[in-house]
Amino acid sequence: MASDLRDFDLLILGASGFTGKYVVREALRFLSTPASPLRTIALAGRNPNKISQTLAWASTPNPPPNIPILHADVSDSDSLIPLFRRARLVLSCVGPFRIYGAPVVASCVAAGTDYLDISGEPEFMERMEVEFHELAVKNGSLVVSACGFDSVPAELGVVFNSRQWVAPSAPNCVEAYLSLESEKKIVGNVGTYESAVLGVANADKLQELRRSRPRRARPLIPGPPPPRGPTLEHQKTFGLWAVRLPSADSIVVRRTLAALTENPHGLPGVNESEEDIERRTHLWSTVKPVHFGVKIGTKSLLGLLRIMVTGMFIGLFGKMSFGRKLLLKYPEFFSLGWFRKAGPTEEEVNSATFKMWFLGHGYSDVSLASQGAKPDTEIITRVSGPEIGYLTTPIILIQCALIVLDQRGKLPKGGVFPPGIVFVPTDLQERLQENGISFDFISKRALSN
């Protein structure tokens, strides 16, 4: 756990990237405001000139504040450690994380500095846990990946749905349906596309990594796992055509549920009060484990076709070196215009929104599960907000950062964790609601079997 006496509260790495510049803009909203713990920021990257341009853009219409701009090269780990020792918390926007992420995590852990990132890459996240968890605990470095749209809405959304099941009821499964909407053309974050391509390339490494590790604890979930269901689904409740989304969300949620199974009262904070302990223990007692999956949906079959074709191209070409080169060189072609290297325009960003529906099925009385009955109750909740990559992700990342800075004693001393097990007991959901991300209870009904 970094000392309050360090030079900077926050160091943003990769500030000049597509997402990084929006993270800077969001951070400036909370710099030196009365209720904010954020008093000092530094920006770091390979090109100080680009970072200066980012700062000017992020400050508009005001003049840029006097913020240190520091040179940082992620290929030079030795130079990162003394840099990170100057900061309490590092936010990394440097992706793809499979390529650039490990030296940053290693240097933060060595420096005893806390670290958050916006990675949605399962192999990177799980490898960082294997390689650095024990040293991070020892050095007091809290390392949390997936602190953006991947995968906080999924983590908090599952918990929000789960907590609607009041005893004696209990959930069995929750399926999330993601809908991206816009008055203009939807253009995705090219970093997400690159991560997906590299994810296919590294799928074998992820399986190899998991086979090399002891099996994690599995939560006890009432009733059998739900059937897989059709490849293409017409979800009439939400008016969507949907297919399964091979995103990080379901993997990250499973990691949090495994951590909760191993630590039923959650993770103790480094300096909790008795009231904090009681609140954390009570909150986790209301969270019930579920089978979880994610689908992406559109209102028309034609819109879904673009998603399916993009996935087919990535799956087909991503396993071959030459195919990956083509995919990464021509993202706009292989995604049918869904991703482009130039990124979306400001108008496209501001017009986009998301809705993530959580469809929970379970039992009105948990004893029904042991009798072999089918789920007889449905609860629907929803998380919604602005554009996912450039607006929602910075909002989430900065709110997580403010919690780390302001409530460090309530958080674990150190270690490598998914976001849910760290931030669910905090006021993160309330903070997100205050900043444009909504959590809504939609309906509850009995199912006819």
Side-chain angles (χ1 to χ4, degrees), residues 279 283 403 407 410-411 422-431:
R279 184 187 301 113
L283 184 142
I403 289 171
Q407 305 176 32
K410 299 179 183 180
L411 307 180
V422 173
F423 291 112
V424 162
T426 71
D427 59 347
L428 178 57
Q429 180 181 320
E430 291 77 9
R431 288 168 173 264

Side-chain angles (χ1 to χ4, degrees), residues 264-285 409-411 425:
H265 303 305
L267 302 176
V270 66
N271 188 25
E272 286 181 300
S273 67
E274 290 297 324
E275 184 181 352
D276 293 333
I277 295 171
E278 184 178 346
R279 184 187 301 113
R280 167 173 55 80
T281 302
H282 172 71
L283 184 142
W284 283 121
S285 72
K410 299 179 183 180
L411 307 180

Side-chain angles (χ1 to χ4, degrees), residues 347-364:
E347 291 76 19
E348 288 168 337
V349 168
N350 291 332
S351 69
T353 60
F354 81 90
K355 290 185 177 71
M356 202 168 191
W357 305 85
F358 293 81
L359 178 64
H361 284 172
Y363 303 93
S364 57

Side-chain angles (χ1 to χ4, degrees), residues 219-383:
L220 295 176
I221 302 171
R228 184 170 178 81
T231 301
L232 176 64
E233 177 188 0
H234 188 199
Q235 177 46 257
K236 296 180 181 179
T237 303
F238 310 133
L240 298 175
W241 291 91
V243 293
R244 192 160 299 280
L245 181 65
S247 71
D249 287 345
S250 57
I251 295 170
V252 172
V253 167
R254 283 198 293 270
R255 288 178 64 211
T256 284
L257 292 177
L260 182 60
T261 304
E262 295 162 353
N263 305 272
H265 303 305
L267 302 176
V270 66
N271 188 25
E272 286 181 300
S273 67
E274 290 297 324
E275 184 181 352
D276 293 333
I277 295 171
E278 184 178 346
R279 184 187 301 113
R280 167 173 55 80
T281 302
H282 172 71
L283 184 142
W284 283 121
S285 72
T286 66
V287 176
K288 304 159 191 71
V290 294
H291 300 287
F292 179 66
V294 184
K295 294 184 177 181
I296 187 168
T298 63
K299 295 184 184 302
S300 70
L301 270 174
L302 187 62
L304 195 64
L305 179 63
R306 182 169 69 159
I307 295 171
M308 296 175 69
V309 170
T310 301
M312 182 187 68
F313 278 136
I314 292 175
L316 187 63
F317 294 121
K319 295 182 182 295
M320 304 175 292
S321 176
F322 177 71
R324 287 194 297 276
K325 289 179 180 177
L326 288 176
L327 289 169
L328 295 174
K329 189 174 182 179
Y330 304 108
E332 190 167 0
F333 174 80
F334 286 106
S335 68
L336 305 184
W338 193 9
F339 299 94
R340 58 177 182 240
K341 286 188 174 182
T345 65
E346 191 76 7
E347 291 76 19
E348 288 168 337
V349 168
N350 291 332
S351 69
T353 60
F354 81 90
K355 290 185 177 71
M356 202 168 191
W357 305 85
F358 293 81
L359 178 64
H361 284 172
Y363 303 93
S364 57
D365 190 311
V366 69
S367 64
L368 294 172
S370 60
Q371 299 171 22
K374 293 181 179 180
D376 66 346
T377 303
E378 174 187 276
I379 292 180
I380 297 175
T381 55
R382 183 182 64 203
V383 180

Side-chain angles (χ1 to χ4, degrees), residues 75-145:
S75 65
D76 183 7
S77 297
D78 292 338
S79 70
L80 294 179
I81 296 173
L83 175 63
F84 293 165
R85 282 193 177 126
R86 300 179 64 189
R88 293 175 60 195
L89 172 62
V90 169
L91 304 185
S92 180
C93 305
V94 181
F97 288 86
R98 287 180 184 86
I99 299 174
Y100 303 113
V104 180
V105 173
S107 299
C108 279
V109 171
T113 299
D114 293 332
Y115 165 98
L116 306 177
D117 71 34
I118 53 174
S119 170
E121 303 169 34
E123 193 267 343
F124 165 77
M125 291 186 272
E126 295 186 32
R127 188 170 296 281
M128 294 304 97
E129 183 179 359
V130 169
E131 294 183 3
F132 298 112
H133 178 74
E134 291 185 5
L135 184 58
V137 171
K138 178 182 176 182
N139 289 356
S141 172
L142 182 62
V143 175
V144 188
S145 287

Side-chain angles (χ1 to χ4, degrees), residues 96 98 120-124 191-207 246 314-315 318-319 324 328:
R98 287 180 184 86
E121 303 169 34
E123 193 267 343
F124 165 77
T192 302
Y193 172 86
E194 292 173 350
S195 295
V197 172
L198 295 174
V200 170
N202 287 276
D204 292 341
K205 292 182 180 180
L206 177 57
Q207 296 307 315
I314 292 175
K319 295 182 182 295
R324 287 194 297 276
L328 295 174

